[in-house]
Every structure is written in structure tokens, then in C-alpha cells.
Amino acid sequence: MKLLASLRVAAGVLLLTAAGSASAVMITDQSAVTTGGQVFNYSFGGLSATSDAHVMTLFGRGDYTINAGSGAGETASWDLDGLISGLVHTINTLPANVVVTEHSLQDVSFSATFSVLGATMAALTSDGMINVTLTNSSGVNVISANSFLGFSLEPQAVPEPATLGLFGLGLAAIGFSRRRGQKS
């Protein structure tokens, strides 16, 4: 009976701790690629400030291969409010954060993930707005009606230290109460 009461108290504390944590930002969008060198600008307002680490995923489908004229790789780049940016290519040796699927000649889909640290998220969300710019290199051509470029920004799945600490305390309390019950 005491064990059940202890578990209820621990669950209540855990719920209060989770309710008091910072809110996370979750945004996503995508646009059709209609011409080479296309630039996409997105603005998201009304966001809560957060210092939680997030994951930025850039994804797309189209002619992200080798430019036949220059032989250079075609790329997609991204920028978050001028604070953090990156570039994705889908040829040669790929970094571990890039996954590519080839559908046909010059038609590939890709997904690339990037970490956005908590301090950067705090700076990005300090004014309640995030501006995202996605840019295709000039050699990216429209291969089919399926050509698009998009992104998502989501919280990184990392347990908070307070949650882990409460979980550990709960396990210790259960172990102590079971041990105490066995001695009686």
C-alpha cells in the first residue's frame, strides 16, 4: 500500500516537472521546384522561446546530381535567420547525415539532418520568429512534377536531466521499499 502511494507521489512530481519544461518549436514546409536556382523564403511567427536542442532536416526530390554543362555537383542550401546554415550535395562521398535514393537518371530524393544546439535555438526564437531560406544551385533543373524542396525543424529526442533524475529516484525508492519489505 505504501509502495502504491509512493508511486503516485513520484508520478505527480514527474508530471509537474514535465509541465514546467520549455516549449518546443515544430515547423515544416515544402515548395515545388519550378526553375533552376530557385530561392524559397519562409517566416514563422508566434513561436515560444526555447533553448531546447532541435534537429533541422532538409529534404527534396529532383535534379540534385551533376550539372552536365559544368560537371559540378548540384546543391541545396539552407539558412536559419543568418545564424546557422548548411549545404547538401548528393554525389560522390556522402556525409553520414545525408540519405539519397536514386529514382532515375538525374532524379534523386534526399534527406539531410543537422543539429541545432540549444543556445542557437534560444537566439533563433528570442523574438518569437524564425526565418528560413532554402536555395537551389543554378544547375538544379525541374525533372518532373515531383520536384520539391522542403525542411522541418523539430525537437531533438534527448531526455532532460531532471526527468532522468526523477526516474532514477523512483527506481531507487521502489528497490528500497522492496528490500525493506523482504527484511520484515
Side-chain angles (χ1 to χ4, degrees), residues 29-33 38 40 42 58-61 64 75-77 110 134-136 146-151:
D29 210 335
Q30 72 180 43
S31 298
V33 173
Q38 198 166 0
F40 304 98
Y42 306 95
L58 183 65
F59 53 89
R61 179 171 179 178
Y64 294 95
T75 61
S77 61
F110 71 89
L134 308 179
T135 307
N136 280 328
N146 296 329
S147 298
F148 67 89
L149 186 61
F151 75 97

Side-chain angles (χ1 to χ4, degrees), residues 5-86:
S6 297
L7 288 174
R8 286 183 185 156
V9 171
V13 171
L14 183 60
L15 288 174
L16 288 174
T17 303
S21 66
S23 59
V25 172
M26 292 183 67
I27 54 178
T28 187
D29 210 335
Q30 72 180 43
S31 298
V33 173
T34 58
T35 184
Q38 198 166 0
V39 177
F40 304 98
N41 292 302
Y42 306 95
S43 290
F44 299 91
L47 303 175
S48 299
T50 183
S51 59
D52 294 339
H54 279 60
V55 174
M56 165 78 177
T57 303
L58 183 65
F59 53 89
R61 179 171 179 178
D63 177 26
Y64 294 95
T65 56
I66 296 177
N67 186 315
S70 69
E74 297 163 346
T75 61
S77 61
W78 58 274
D79 179 272
L80 299 178
D81 275 337
L83 294 176
I84 184 171
S85 60

Side-chain angles (χ1 to χ4, degrees), residues 5 8 12 34 37 46 49 56 62 70 72 97 117 124 126 144-145 157 167 175:
R8 286 183 185 156
T34 58
M56 165 78 177
S70 69
N97 66 326
L117 300 177
L124 284 170
S126 64
S144 70
F167 182 70

